Amino acid sequence: MFLDCSSLLAENPPRPSNGIAVTDIDGDGAFELVVAGYRTANLVLKWVDGRLVDIATPLIADPTSPAMGLAAADIDGDGREELYVVNCDRATGAKDMADRLFACFGKHWLDLFAQAENAGAANHTAAGAVAALDRWGHGRYGFLVATDGGPLRLYELTRRGRLEDGAEEAGLDSIGAARGVVTLPIVSDHMDLVTVNDGGPNQLFRNLGDGNFEEIAEERGIADSRPSGRAVVALDVDGDGLFDLVVGTWDGAQRLFHQRMGGAFVESADADLSMPGRIFTVVAADFDNDGYEELFFHAHGEPNRLFGWRNDQWQELELGDAAEPKGLGTGAVAADIDGDGRLELVLAHGTAHGGPDAVAQPLSIYRPAASHNGWLRVQPLTPYGAPARGAVVNLTAGGRRQRRVVSAGSGYLCQGEPVAHFGLGALHEVEQVEVRWPDGTVVTVDNPPAGRLLTIPYPPE
């Protein structure tokens, strides 16, 4: 499936790397890859003249920080995404170095947690996962941070311009050891929250529509406390219009929770898909543009695995160069780096929990083999003009309907690009695109041209 194209990186020395997020750092409308480095500089990789070049400012590079997880979202409604970086200098308990929340004002970046009015709110508890969450659907996000052994936190900006933790108010201050976090409308019409925990049951928080949540994982059948959960990703496996969940575990069986009509989930992974492994993160994406998403399992110290939906079942596919049998996998995302309509696979490597023994390996970039398959990429925007993370996009082509969610948090440590990517197979015409924002607003576009990035603004009142 994949060919190594890591030579696209202008510089790629061995380094301990963790999470990867895709966002527009420099405000030019194109996305960059932000790579968390554990006590080595964070990278901001920009596509320039056919190469990926690091453009990180000294503040964002933050070379002494133990950076782990990343997420971007617009928390202040200025139309530009802020960047949350989870720092983790120990596995559990209180940590020495607080998280960062970088915001750009004009061309000047600053850490909001370093401001006097916000210093008391900064997270000083070990954590690994972070995702964007718009609990009201207004287009202004908070950052949901999963601490290890402490309560979930939800950092939001108040009307006074201060950062506050709204998790308790929202009913999200549950204590656990969450690793994978995903936020999307999965059991309601608003942004819900799913966490998978290390050594405890998974959690599913349903959005009640008023900014409050209720936990219903056991009721819906996904609590599953047996394996050590590490990563989670949502996709519509069988095209029934309902999102399902794939959970990657550490030395446990992999899970596929299939959502049924009525909202209950049934675990349905077959023997091949569920095979135990040391999975660090999971990516769902249509790499070959055949109209069906593949599942990539990024492993740590053993070969990666790839599954495709073939003949109404999941079948393991040849990975090609991306197998990486000796790779110490950490972060992974799919992104169209060069704008050609094919998703690249970007992989980071390091140690399982950071620390002084952090192992250095280069980043990897892989491309799927070229094909003539059609494609369309859809980017919804918030009322403020920022990426509408958590929006659901449906595409109809050839009488078949596909469904994607714009990534607000993906896998473990990572956050994918804020674009719904659709492969079309042999088709090159689209009948309709429908976007549903987290507040329930719906816009349809009939017969959009394929083979392009379609930007859809939030409709005026």
Side-chain angles (χ1 to χ4, degrees):
M1 170 75 79
F2 291 104
L3 302 173
D4 189 356
C5 61
S6 302
S7 60
L8 294 176
L9 289 156
E11 297 181 9
N12 191 24
R15 48 175 273 135
S17 302
N18 290 301
I20 307 173
V22 186
T23 183
D24 179 10
I25 289 290
D26 60 3
D28 69 347
F31 299 126
E32 288 80 46
L33 298 163
V34 187
V35 183
Y38 192 89
R39 300 203 185 281
T40 187
N42 302 322
L43 304 176
V44 178
L45 300 175
K46 184 175 184 61
W47 184 250
V48 180
D49 297 330
R51 304 290 296 278
L52 283 168
V53 179
D54 181 24
I55 63 165
T57 64
L59 182 72
I60 293 177
D62 202 12
T64 63
S65 68
M68 294 288 290
L70 300 163
D74 181 12
I75 67 169
D76 56 6
D78 67 351
R80 188 163 179 177
E81 292 194 309
E82 284 68 49
L83 178 69
Y84 195 106
V85 181
V86 171
N87 290 321
C88 200
D89 50 29
R90 61 198 63 204
T92 60
K95 60 185 182 182
D96 296 327
M97 187 171 288
D99 296 343
R100 312 291 195 216
L101 179 46
F102 296 119
C104 188
F105 297 91
K107 294 184 178 181
H108 178 65
W109 285 87
L110 57 83
D111 176 11
L112 294 182
F113 282 135
Q115 308 308 301
E117 63 270 24
N118 298 322
N123 175 43
H124 283 275
T125 304
V130 58
L133 176 64
D134 179 3
R135 57 172 166 144
W136 289 287
H138 295 165
R140 291 176 57 144
Y141 295 81
F143 286 108
L144 190 289
V145 180
T147 64
D148 199 322
L152 295 172
R153 294 180 176 170
L154 180 60
Y155 287 106
E156 299 171 321
L157 203 64
T158 69
R159 294 183 181 275
R160 296 175 297 167
R162 294 187 176 183
L163 290 168
E164 292 185 356
D165 181 3
E168 182 178 3
E169 175 188 280
L172 292 174
D173 57 331
S174 174
I175 295 176
R179 295 295 186 262
V181 176
V182 66
T183 53
L184 77 158
I186 188 168
V187 292
S188 77
D189 292 330
H190 309 282
M191 287 189 78
D192 306 306
L193 167 67
V194 177
T195 70
V196 297
N197 286 277
D198 186 1
N202 303 326
Q203 296 166 306
L204 169 58
F205 295 91
R206 177 171 58 191
N207 192 322
L208 300 177
D210 58 0
N212 296 303
F213 295 78
E214 65 173 350
E215 206 284 310
I216 58 170
E218 186 171 358
E219 170 190 326
R220 295 300 177 92
I222 69 165
D224 191 31
S225 60
R226 290 171 292 171
S228 178
R230 184 55 58 98
V232 60
V233 68
L235 74 161
D236 182 2
V237 168
D238 54 3
D240 64 355
L242 299 173
F243 284 112
D244 312 297
L245 295 168
V246 175
V247 176
T249 69
W250 186 263
D251 274 341
Q254 317 314 320
R255 304 296 198 197
L256 170 56
F257 292 103
H258 191 174
Q259 187 174 182
R260 305 298 189 187
M261 299 302 294
F265 290 81
V266 177
E267 208 289 306
S268 60
D270 62 20
D272 288 339
L273 186 66
S274 66
M275 188 175 75
R278 293 190 166 190
I279 302 304
F280 220 86
T281 195
V282 182
V283 176
D286 188 355
F287 290 104
D288 57 6
N289 283 340
D290 68 344
Y292 298 88
E293 290 179 282
E294 286 78 50
L295 285 172
F296 174 80
F297 291 87
H298 196 24
H300 190 88
E302 58 190 43
N304 300 321
R305 304 183 74 198
L306 181 71
F307 289 84
W309 187 251
R310 306 288 188 269
N311 302 316
D312 294 327
Q313 63 180 346
W314 289 106
Q315 297 182 7
E316 188 161 7
L317 306 177
E318 290 291 332
L319 265 167
D321 294 340
E324 293 192 341
K326 297 182 179 180
L328 297 174
T330 51
V333 295
D336 184 4
I337 293 171
D338 54 2
D340 67 350
R342 278 188 296 166
L343 294 173
E344 281 77 30
L345 177 64
V346 184
L347 305 181
H349 312 88
T351 53
H353 302 290
D357 59 343
V359 175
Q361 291 185 341
L363 299 171
S364 300
I365 301 179
Y366 299 99
R367 273 181 175 153
S371 74
H372 296 291
N373 289 339
W375 55 274
L376 179 65
R377 292 164 56 76
V378 181
Q379 183 184 11
L381 302 179
T382 69
Y384 307 104
R389 296 186 184 269
V392 174
V393 183
N394 294 295
L395 176 144
T396 304
R400 176 172 168 263
R401 189 175 174 93
Q402 298 185 52
R403 195 176 212 214
R404 305 282 188 270
V405 63
V406 179
S407 178
S410 54
Y412 170 47
L413 306 178
C414 299
Q415 186 189 51
E417 58 179 0
V419 175
H421 178 95
F422 297 91
L424 303 176
L427 302 174
H428 291 271
E429 294 182 353
V430 175
E431 292 151 28
Q432 188 180 81
V433 167
E434 177 193 272
V435 176
R436 178 180 290 272
W437 279 265
D439 68 350
T441 298
V442 176
V443 164
T444 59
V445 179
D446 294 326
N447 306 120
R452 57 170 288 189
L453 173 66
L454 176 65
T455 300
I456 301 182
Y458 187 88
E461 295 184 2

